[in-house]
Amino acid sequence: MLWDFEYFEPANITEAVSLLQKYGDEARVIAGGTDLLVDMKNEKIQPKFLVSIMKIPELKCIVEDGAELSIGAATTLAEIEESRLIKERYGLIHEAVKELGTVQVRNMATIGGNICNAIPSADLPPALVALDARLKIVGVNGERTLPLEEFFLGVRKTKLKNELLKEIVVRRPPERSGTAFIKLARTSEDLAIVNVAVRITLNKDNICEEARIVVGGGIGPTLLRSREAEKIIEGRRVDEEIINRAAEVTSQGFQCRRDSIRAPPEYKIEVGKVLVKRALMKALRRVNGEE
Ligand SMILES: Cc1cc2nc3c(=O)[nH]c(=O)nc-3n(C[C@H](O)[C@H](O)[C@H](O)COP(=O)(O)OP(=O)(O)OC[C@H]3O[C@@H](n4cnc5c(N)ncnc54)[C@H](O)[C@@H]3O)c2cc1C
């Protein structure tokens, strides 16, 4: 095992991004380390320079401004779980974070790490995409914003180029919205076989104005937002029959690999369909105040 690296603890974002720029592919950001250190221990990666972001105060925040919530990338999952604001107004994030790992993991792990590891079975990205999350990314040449949905290029591949994820911004769900997150895993501490996050927003006549159906887990190289299934629901009065059709169409978009260690494709497709249906039914009951 080779543990030969230089460790930096920059005090601000400018210092952090200049280190990332200077050391390029030989450097890695470390936040909670719950993914990175496992990969280093297993010798999957051997960075020569580690840039810790945990001493940068700007990266640790949970702030609501108008109808938008900003979460700093180095905010821990435990801080998110404990946030009353998130529990009351962004229940989908609270629901997803509770399902992630163990208390010990959530105490260390960060929201930024859960996104930047680009593991398709990560639990927060589907919930965040269902809330139209945008990422604020910083590099030496300044800041850019990217929809989270467009951030992933494949398993462990993102659009970051020697850059730092600074902040995640989500929209507060409009009035008459219902959301739900459901995860199926082999054990309560394991990564998802399939996870599903949905949002439906109804108008005063109970017609669906906006739907989001997002599935993660081992159903493809990145999470899947099923726009086709969303179109089945939008503009209609939502009932069980429409939900069944949307669930069927969502599962048709899965690209499961046969060599997955968690479950075979046939199982993921069947179970994914059931979970999408259950999540949409739950979201509908929640809009109607029945749950
Ligand atoms: C026992 C155990 C159980 C787990 N269970 C789950 C689970 O149920 N669900 C789940 O989703 N995950 C799970 N995980 C995975 C992991 O805990 C999470 O993905 C966690 O959120 C990663 O955050 P971190 O801060 O520890 O990331 P780190 O390990 O520090 O970093 C992960 C990756 O992201 C990069 N990175 C981190 N922050 C930034 C940033 N701001 N900008 C740019 N790059 C960045 C790092 O360079 C690295 O490549 C589990 C892990 C363990 C060890």
Side-chain angles (χ1 to χ4, degrees), residues 156-186:
R156 293 176 182 274
K157 291 192 189 118
T158 72
K159 287 192 177 164
L160 286 179
K161 298 172 194 149
N162 303 327
E163 291 163 306
L164 189 69
L165 171 60
K166 180 183 157 199
E167 202 172 296
I168 299 96
V169 182
V170 298
R171 240 185 359 130
R172 193 193 307 159
E175 289 289 307
R176 303 220 66 216
S177 292
T179 60
F181 176 86
I182 302 183
K183 169 179 178 177
L184 177 78
R186 296 176 301 181

Side-chain angles (χ1 to χ4, degrees), residues 58-72:
E58 282 168 87
L59 297 180
K60 283 184 159 282
C61 62
I62 299 175
V63 184
E64 191 177 41
D65 185 6
E68 285 196 335
L69 175 77
S70 298
I71 308 178

Side-chain angles (χ1 to χ4, degrees), residues 275-287:
L275 295 191
V276 171
K277 178 182 172 181
R278 281 190 195 159
L280 284 168
M281 293 296 290
K282 199 172 202 176
L284 186 61
R285 286 196 299 276
R286 285 176 173 174
V287 193

Side-chain angles (χ1 to χ4, degrees), residues 184 193-194 256 262-273:
L184 177 78
I193 296 172
V194 179
C256 309
R262 290 194 170 78
E266 296 78 10
Y267 179 74
K268 287 180 188 167
I269 290 167
E270 280 313 308
V271 93
K273 214 185 301 179

